[in-house]
Amino acid sequence: MSDPAAAAHEKETGPSATHVHGLAATQDVERIEAPVTWKAYLICAFASFGGIFFGYDSGYINGVLGSQIFINAVEYVGAPSVSESHTSLIVSILSCGTFFGAIIAGDVADFIGRKWTVIMGCGIYLIGCVIQMITGLGSALGAIVAGRLIAGIGVGFESAIVILYMSEICPRKVRGALVAGYQFCITIGIMLAACVVYATEGRSDTGAYRIPIAIQFIWAIILAGGLLFLPDSPRYFVKRGNVAAATAALSRLRGQPQDSEYIQVELSEIIANEEYERQLIPSTTWFGSWANCFKGSVWSGNSNLRKTILGTSLQMMQQWTGVNFIFYYSTPFLKSTGAISNTFLISMVFTIINVCSTPISFYTVEKWGRRTILLYGALGMLICQFLCAIIGVTVGFNHTHIEPGTTDVSLADNISAVNAQIAFIAIFIFFFASTWGPGAWIVIGEIFPLPIRSRGVGLSTASNWLWNTIIAVITPYMTGENKGNMKSSVFFVWGGLCTCALVYTYFLVPETKGLSLEQVDKMMEETTPRTSAGWKPTTTFAAQLADEKHGQV
């Protein structure tokens, strides 16, 4: 599928003036990629499917923790709820496994390829699901914890490498929108989990929690089976020195013949950038390759250390927004207030808002840019969190009374105030889902140079899961009635952290919209985050390399 306008432009400008490794190259910074085809859209969109089992695995545990059958299995028959310590362990253990999985996946992806690493992660994930299925009365806690730990390793493989894979195969002009599709699939997974849990909560047997666990098989099998038929990343093959395989993969991704000038020009740009980066980051030992991620000055915008700090801290900030408090603990938290009659339904409403809001980013991330939506998203979230906290501590969640004629049924003093808090939580979810949810994943896939990209993305994803684990561990102690019992005051914490995210974005996050991964390297070398939106490329790496080889530079 060719582009007539591009063909006309090629006719006017004449053939490429330079060559890199026998491949045609160009000095036109706007012609380093083939026109986007539906095939490219579909391939990249399918890769984002991995977000579904990431989201589902994160989402189903929220409702399961409120299931009386599960409470009986983990604690004892008739227990009012899962204890704070067991809740902390069950929720956080998945994130713990994912942390280690994401770090390991970086090495594996450089060794066997991006595609096969994700497929391996699906296999590990399935093993974890089987172990969770063993969960039964009398042995529930051990099986569920062990299974979620192993499943977490698989999710770590997937969450790190799908982002890496998509960033490397997506066309630059729609890369942000397509990678945002990964976050969209995460939200779909969370919603599907909420629907399944809502449908099974009334069961009187262990199917109340075993069915939600078993459905996870479907997502992993679909992703692994589909990836078998997709090409691996051309940039991975270039890094391995296999230009022929890179050409074949790029041809399939762009829907162009291998001898097309579009394919040659894009491949020559990737190769030239890889050679340029190798001059800055020479090949070394396994330990040395990890050490490369931390080389350079923290004050240099293009240093590896600065990029690693940016990637890991960006994911930390995403977790600090408090969104996982809503999706992990909203059911038991709302239940503890005594103000909500059907907490499962409210949780499902939150997930539906999450799903419906995320596609907005498909447009805004390419129209307004990554940096802009992160700034406005942080501002919107902090306003919602502080308003929810203020209402709660004055007239909302924190004020309940015992229903006359009962000894343990508490009701909110002001139902309207409680409804206002729920509304602000819903608006908070809207801001997160349309900005920070996809935005953080998009940026970490774009900022690292090829020699350290797999490890950089792995470390950034591991940071996400490290803070996910920490928040999952401490939240039950912050909000539990027998522990911190913060109730609505917990929203002051999240609001303060959202304020940190706003300041952080303004000073440290660059704008990467519309740039190829190779151009992002040059942008970070020549500009600062606050001026990055105005940067435009002036030459290509292929032209620069050709000039150097001809002694002109």
Side-chain angles (χ1 to χ4, degrees):
M1 185 181 294
S2 61
D3 185 344
H9 177 77
E10 180 179 339
K11 185 175 180 179
E12 292 173 5
T13 56
S16 300
T18 56
H19 288 78
V20 174
H21 293 277
L23 298 169
T26 182
Q27 298 185 27
D28 186 349
V29 295
E30 297 300 324
R31 297 186 63 246
I32 57 174
E33 278 188 355
V36 182
T37 65
W38 280 107
K39 182 178 180 180
Y41 276 120
L42 293 174
I43 288 175
C44 297
F46 179 80
S48 68
F49 183 85
I52 286 186
F53 75 78
F54 172 5
Y56 186 93
D57 204 74
S58 300
Y60 87 87
I61 198 63
N62 177 30
V64 165
L65 286 171
S67 168
Q68 189 59 51
I69 302 297
F70 185 78
I71 294 171
N72 293 345
V74 171
E75 301 294 339
Y76 56 86
V77 176
S81 64
V82 178
S83 68
E84 285 92 347
S85 59
H86 287 166
T87 297
S88 174
L89 175 63
I90 291 169
V91 174
S92 64
I93 198 66
L94 177 87
S95 305
C96 180
T98 308
F99 169 80
F100 291 106
I103 292 179
I104 296 169
D107 279 331
V108 178
D110 276 348
F111 184 67
I112 67 174
R114 284 52 164 149
K115 178 178 82 171
W116 291 104
T117 303
V118 176
I119 293 173
M120 179 184 291
C122 290
I124 297 171
Y125 181 78
L126 288 173
I127 294 172
C129 292
V130 170
I131 295 175
Q132 290 179 72
M133 286 296 293
I134 299 173
T135 301
L137 292 172
S139 60
L141 183 63
I144 200 75
V145 168
R148 281 177 62 79
L149 175 64
I150 294 173
I153 295 174
V155 173
F157 272 55
E158 182 273 335
S159 59
I161 307 307
V162 164
I163 291 296
L164 173 64
Y165 178 64
M166 293 184 68
S167 297
E168 291 190 340
I169 69 174
C170 289
R172 64 191 173 106
K173 292 183 179 179
V174 293
R175 185 178 60 239
L178 289 171
V179 175
Y182 176 78
Q183 176 67 20
F184 181 51
C185 287
I186 292 176
T187 65
I188 292 176
I190 294 173
M191 184 184 72
L192 290 173
C195 292
V196 171
V197 168
Y198 186 65
T200 60
E201 65 162 323
R203 294 180 66 95
S204 58
D205 55 21
T206 56
Y209 59 88
R210 278 179 164 163
I211 291 175
I213 292 172
I215 289 176
Q216 296 174 101
F217 276 82
I218 300 173
W219 322 132
I221 291 172
I222 290 175
L223 179 63
L227 281 175
L228 290 173
F229 301 98
L230 298 186
D232 211 324
S233 163
R235 288 175 169 87
Y236 161 72
F237 288 124
V238 167
K239 183 174 183 177
R240 301 289 289 184
N242 191 342
V243 176
T247 304
L250 191 59
S251 174
R252 291 181 62 191
L253 290 168
R254 299 293 182 255
Q256 299 279 341
Q258 293 189 28
D259 59 356
S260 163
E261 185 172 354
Y262 284 120
I263 299 301
Q264 294 198 20
V265 165
E266 183 172 355
L267 192 60
S268 67
E269 183 72 357
I270 296 171
I271 293 172
N273 174 259
E274 201 270 342
E275 292 193 11
Y276 171 78
E277 294 293 350
R278 281 296 174 201
Q279 295 173 12
L280 303 177
I281 313 173
S283 298
T284 181
T285 62
W286 175 84
F287 181 81
S289 62
W290 273 105
N292 281 334
C293 295
F294 304 96
K295 287 186 176 179
S297 169
V298 71
W299 306 111
S300 172
N302 196 44
S303 72
N304 291 350
L305 175 61
R306 177 71 171 265
K307 291 177 179 178
T308 300
I309 291 174
L310 175 61
T312 53
S313 59
L314 190 66
Q315 290 289 359
M316 175 185 73
M317 288 292 172
Q318 189 202 59
Q319 293 302 299
W320 277 7
T321 61
V323 69
N324 282 336
F325 168 74
I326 305 298
F327 291 117
Y328 284 167
Y329 297 115
S330 63
T331 297
F333 177 76
L334 293 175
K335 185 178 179 180
S336 71
T337 66
I340 308 297
S341 60
N342 194 331
T343 56
F344 283 95
L345 182 60
I346 293 295
S347 294
M348 193 160 65
V349 169
F350 288 160
T351 62
I352 292 172
I353 294 171
N354 195 27
V355 171
C356 294
S357 303
T358 302
I360 295 172
S361 66
F362 297 175
Y363 173 79
T364 58
V365 75
E366 298 297 355
K367 177 67 175 178
W368 298 336
R370 286 69 157 148
R371 175 181 166 86
T372 302
I373 67 170
L374 291 177
L375 282 169
Y376 282 105
L379 179 62
M381 288 189 295
L382 74 89
I383 291 172
C384 291
Q385 295 280 21
F386 279 128
L387 285 174
C388 191
I390 292 168
I391 294 171
V393 299
T394 54
V395 293
F397 278 161
N398 290 21
H399 299 271
T400 59
H401 60 272
I402 300 298
E403 180 71 1
T406 69
T407 57
D408 59 353
V409 178
S410 61
L411 295 177
D413 292 345
N414 191 325
I415 299 298
S416 296
V418 171
N419 290 337
Q421 283 188 272
I422 293 173
F424 280 116
I425 291 173
I427 298 171
F428 160 81
I429 293 172
F430 163 80
F431 276 110
F432 175 86
S434 59
T435 59
W436 275 83
W441 292 110
I442 293 169
V443 173
I444 68 165
E446 296 176 330
I447 59 175
F448 294 101
L450 183 57
I452 65 167
R453 184 172 295 143
S454 62
R455 290 182 172 89
V457 174
L459 284 169
S460 300
T461 307
S463 172
N464 178 294
W465 289 105
L466 173 64
W467 287 100
N468 192 311
T469 303
I470 292 172
I471 291 171
V473 168
I474 66 175
T475 299
Y477 296 97
M478 293 166 65
T479 60
E481 292 185 13
N482 299 323
K483 304 295 181 182
N485 197 26
M486 292 182 68
K487 294 186 178 179
S488 296
S489 298
V490 74
F491 293 104
F492 280 120
V493 176
W494 308 133
L497 293 173
C498 286
T499 304
C500 294
L502 177 66
V503 175
Y504 165 88
T505 302
Y506 180 76
F507 287 104
L508 296 176
V509 178
E511 183 54 71
T512 56
K513 175 176 74 83
L515 303 177
S516 71
L517 297 182
E518 289 69 37
Q519 289 170 344
V520 170
D521 288 342
K522 184 63 70 174
M523 177 272 293
M524 295 185 73
E525 182 179 319
E526 297 180 355
T527 189
T528 65
R530 283 179 287 173
T531 60
S532 57
W535 184 88
K536 301 295 180 186
T538 56
T539 187
T540 65
F541 280 97
Q544 183 178 333
L545 179 63
D547 287 345
E548 290 175 356
K549 289 187 175 180
H550 284 87
Q552 297 174 359
V553 175

